[in-house]
Amino acid sequence: MKTDYAIIHKNWNGIEIEIRWIADYVSFDDGQSMAHLEIESISPVRAPLPITETGYRSHFINRSNVDHMGGPGAYVEAWIDEMSHTHAWRETAAASKQLALF
């Protein structure tokens, strides 16, 4: 297990996101490895995103999937974009815009 993450910053709909990426987080005896992505909204702190209600997501993935999308920044951006079209996210986004009376 390694800890030397690359750090990428992105902005999505006014939310500053930090993406931490390591391509070979763990290596197995058969030569395979597992990559690791951490996605966290940092401004506003822990703001919900379409891929996480808590503003933080840890995700293990095969490196080739991320490489195929153009790298970790492009992968996360495409993932967030895809999930932003779901009914669940539209409800979450609408609820966060409404004022609570109680």
Side-chain angles (χ1 to χ4, degrees), residues 20-60:
R20 294 180 290 275
W21 162 252
I22 188 163
D24 57 348
Y25 181 78
V26 65
S27 297
F28 301 104
D29 292 338
D30 65 358
Q32 298 291 317
S33 66
M34 187 62 61
H36 187 228
L37 276 168
E38 285 184 301
I39 302 102
E40 183 175 2
S41 49
I42 56 174
S43 182
V45 174
R46 293 288 179 106
L49 297 167
I51 60 173
T52 170
E53 294 176 2
T54 65
Y56 174 81
R57 178 83 184 246
S58 174
H59 185 67
F60 292 92

Side-chain angles (χ1 to χ4, degrees), residues 5-12 15-21 37-43 72-74 76-77 80:
Y5 285 81
I7 298 175
I8 301 158
H9 288 254
K10 290 266 185 188
N11 188 294
W12 182 79
I15 300 171
E16 185 70 22
I17 300 168
E18 183 172 275
I19 301 164
R20 294 180 290 275
W21 162 252
L37 276 168
E38 285 184 301
I39 302 102
E40 183 175 2
S41 49
I42 56 174
S43 182
V76 170
E77 194 170 344
I80 289 173

Side-chain angles (χ1 to χ4, degrees), residues 65-87:
N65 293 349
V66 175
D67 290 344
H68 177 73
M69 293 297 294
Y75 180 89
V76 170
E77 194 170 344
W79 187 15
I80 289 173
D81 183 54
E82 180 180 339
M83 296 305 291
S84 71
H85 300 294
T86 65
H87 180 70

